[in-house]
Amino acid sequence: MSFADLGLSDELLRAVGDTGYTEPTPIQASAIPPVLMMRDIIGIAQTGTGKTASFVLPMIDILAHGRSRARMPRSLILEPTRELAAQVAENFETYGKYHKLSMALLIGGVQMGDQVKALEKGVDVLIATPGRLMDLFGRGKILLTGCSMLVIDEADRMLDMGFIPDIEEICTKLPAQRQTLLFSATMPAPIKKLADRFLNNPKTIEVARPASTNINITQWVVPVKGPSFEKRKALRALLGQEEVRTAIIFCNRKTTVRELNKSLKQHGFASGEIHGDMDQPARLAELERFKKGDVNILVASDVAARGLDVKGVSHVFNYDAPWHPDDYVHRIGRTGRGGATGVAYTFVGPDDAENIENIEKLTGQTIARIADVPEAPAEEAPRRERSGRRRERVAEAAPRVEPREEAPRRERPRRDRDERPRAQERERARAPVVVEAADDGGWNGPVPDFLHVGLRY
């Protein structure tokens, strides 16, 4: 099957052809025709299956007929993170370049004034995170009564982040007669309840078992028993393999992201970082460096796990085993995308046994353990672990320096140096000795006559 068989317009087929894609993925082949027929859709697909294009492509053709009005977007796409919203916006720019559709991006970390100006001009497509959308709606800057198409993307992630109440409120402000598309990697009970309430006779499309991992990804567990510097040593060894071209390393904490990126740079790796403490321009700039190849390693927190779509990521490393099993599926889904193959390593220490068990239970598969990790240059242990023989080790490691022959020093004649203190002693001998008695509070006047006593010679 080709894209031409899906009923897309010639302009859209031309834009798709410019990207180099010739055949649709299973989710695209199954979802695009019913979306073009204005059906509500529930798409259950794991990350990396091309589901973004499965709603972007038909939306462009649907919205090609019509006109936007000020502060009244014609369609709305809800995304859980700023990165994923920006990624969807890039897809619209790529596939909609032969259409005259306007688009606005409502995300946090960006000045609200520019976003309001775009809305006042009128937009065909509004891509937003729930928090910023509710903020602007509360300020009276946006009206949703003219929105005829709604997309709820990454619904299970919305649930994890606590956005379901916001989504329910947003849905109540949209016209009852609309087309709604809901996409999720998993279908927990709250998402099923949301779909039953706000979707009208939806067509369910499932291209993979819920919570299953991509069969194109080779998965490994790397057992680590030592302290943190031993884990970093094992990571550097795996990163040093020739087949590692580009890699994303996921950590559970933002502090770990910063520390690990600093350590990798010190060992000569071209790495960058992205986490929640960075403002939006800085995060987008770091992502751009990674996409361009200025750095080939990106250390990230889970804020980026669902928002990255970079072609050619060969490896994913879970430096920390994820706390939530669902995050594992989304993390490793950054590789093996679009039919390519990939490799995922997960480091597991003594405290991670329960995490990996939950992951294997969710995915229904046992992840193979790697027995031997290639050797990497040793990393200096923390200072507190080197207290015993610190001086001896430093002395042994210090390079031996041969003594250097120096020019003879010019010395003064001995007479000048020896006679100077003697002359000072003679001067002190000639000076009168003055003894100052301490004041004891007694008589200090003239001596009385009765104290004058003759002296015997």
Side-chain angles (χ1 to χ4, degrees):
M1 177 182 291
S2 67
F3 281 100
D5 299 326
L6 302 180
L8 299 172
S9 66
D10 293 338
E11 293 83 4
L12 201 54
L13 292 174
R14 180 183 172 191
V16 172
D18 292 345
T19 64
Y21 293 115
T22 57
E23 295 183 0
T25 64
I27 184 65
Q28 294 166 359
S30 301
I32 289 176
V35 173
L36 290 173
M37 296 172 63
M38 308 304 294
R39 287 284 305 273
D40 283 7
I41 294 293
I42 295 177
I44 303 175
Q46 61 191 10
T47 184
T49 56
K51 63 179 176 58
T52 301
S54 69
F55 62 82
V56 168
L57 293 176
M59 283 182 70
I60 292 174
D61 267 353
I62 291 172
L63 296 171
H65 310 284
R67 183 178 180 183
S68 61
R69 291 179 289 177
R71 295 192 301 168
M72 295 181 65
R74 298 173 57 205
S75 64
L76 173 63
I77 301 175
L78 294 176
E79 298 290 344
T81 66
R82 293 177 284 186
E83 284 75 23
L84 191 51
Q87 188 69 50
V88 174
E90 289 182 9
N91 273 261
F92 264 100
E93 291 178 352
T94 300
Y95 297 124
K97 62 182 180 179
Y98 299 119
H99 290 75
K100 297 180 180 180
L101 296 177
S102 57
M103 178 185 61
L105 188 62
L106 295 187
I107 56 177
V110 180
Q111 291 186 357
M112 192 176 294
D114 296 336
Q115 298 174 347
V116 172
K117 289 180 181 178
L119 289 172
E120 290 177 348
K121 295 179 181 179
V123 294
D124 297 299
V125 182
L126 178 62
I127 307 168
T129 51
R132 178 53 65 93
L133 179 64
M134 293 299 295
D135 189 1
L136 287 178
F137 188 87
R139 296 169 183 258
K141 302 295 185 181
I142 185 172
L143 298 173
L144 298 177
T145 53
C147 184
S148 60
M149 195 171 190
L150 170 67
V151 178
I152 304 173
D153 196 18
E154 300 280 2
D156 52 348
R157 183 64 168 175
M158 297 277 199
L159 175 64
D160 294 340
M161 299 176 70
F163 285 144
I164 296 302
D166 289 339
I167 292 175
E168 291 176 342
E169 185 174 354
I170 291 170
C171 288
T172 59
K173 302 181 185 304
L174 293 166
Q177 297 298 321
R178 67 174 186 273
Q179 183 180 13
T180 304
L181 315 177
L182 185 147
F183 291 88
S184 183
T186 59
M187 189 56 67
I191 303 302
K192 181 67 167 59
K193 182 179 178 182
L194 180 72
D196 292 341
R197 180 180 176 186
F198 293 108
L199 273 69
N200 180 28
N201 188 27
K203 177 179 177 62
T204 300
I205 300 170
E206 185 174 352
V207 298
R209 186 174 55 84
S212 64
T213 55
N214 193 330
I215 60 173
N216 293 330
I217 302 173
T218 303
Q219 303 170 59
W220 295 98
V221 164
V222 184
V224 180
K225 298 181 180 180
S228 59
F229 68 88
E230 291 290 346
K231 185 192 288 189
R232 291 195 295 269
K233 180 181 176 182
L235 173 65
R236 294 198 309 273
L238 293 172
L239 286 173
Q241 299 177 113
E242 292 184 2
E243 57 267 25
V244 179
R245 300 182 302 276
T246 55
I248 301 177
I249 306 172
F250 287 105
C251 305
N252 290 344
R253 296 180 176 88
K254 293 175 286 188
T255 54
T256 309
V257 171
R258 290 190 289 264
E259 293 169 358
L260 182 58
N261 182 40
K262 181 179 179 181
S263 174
L264 290 174
K265 287 182 176 179
Q266 290 175 344
H267 285 84
F269 290 94
S271 64
E273 66 183 60
I274 179 173
H275 51 77
D277 283 348
M278 301 170 63
D279 58 25
Q280 184 66 6
R283 289 158 72 174
L284 292 176
E286 199 73 356
L287 285 176
E288 191 64 23
R289 291 180 63 215
F290 183 60
K291 290 180 179 180
K292 288 183 177 180
D294 296 339
V295 296
N296 70 321
I297 298 172
L298 186 65
V299 189
S301 60
D302 279 311
V303 70
R306 305 196 183 204
L308 291 177
D309 185 9
V310 182
K311 294 181 180 179
V313 175
S314 62
H315 288 69
V316 166
F317 294 85
N318 291 309
Y319 186 77
D320 297 317
W323 291 317
H324 303 291
D326 286 346
D327 288 335
Y328 176 82
V329 178
H330 293 282
R331 282 183 179 186
I332 71 171
R334 298 308 102 195
T335 187
R337 301 175 73 85
T341 59
V343 181
Y345 291 100
T346 302
F347 293 88
V348 176
D351 298 332
D352 299 317
E354 184 177 356
N355 291 352
I356 201 67
E357 288 176 4
N358 292 334
I359 290 170
E360 291 178 333
K361 182 179 180 181
L362 177 71
T363 60
Q365 61 184 124
T366 301
I367 306 174
R369 271 60 175 171
I370 187 170
D372 299 321
V373 179
E375 288 293 331
E379 181 175 352
E380 190 177 30
R383 183 178 298 274
R384 62 178 178 271
E385 299 182 16
R386 296 186 284 122
S387 57
R389 297 184 61 247
R390 181 177 184 276
R391 293 183 179 179
E392 290 81 357
R393 292 178 183 176
V394 172
E396 293 172 1
R400 183 177 178 182
V401 180
E402 296 294 337
R404 184 179 61 183
E405 183 178 354
E406 298 182 356
R409 296 176 58 185
R410 182 177 181 182
E411 298 184 355
R412 291 183 175 183
R414 180 176 297 274
R415 178 174 54 84
D416 293 344
R417 293 183 295 155
D418 294 343
E419 290 186 359
R420 183 175 297 175
R422 292 178 184 177
Q424 293 174 352
E425 290 176 4
R426 287 195 297 269
E427 290 296 329
R428 286 197 295 269
R430 295 191 189 101
V433 178
V434 179
V435 178
E436 297 181 358
D439 185 6
D440 60 358
W443 174 257
N444 200 25
V447 179
D449 293 340
F450 68 86
L451 289 179
H452 288 196
V453 181
L455 299 176
R456 292 180 63 185
Y457 294 91

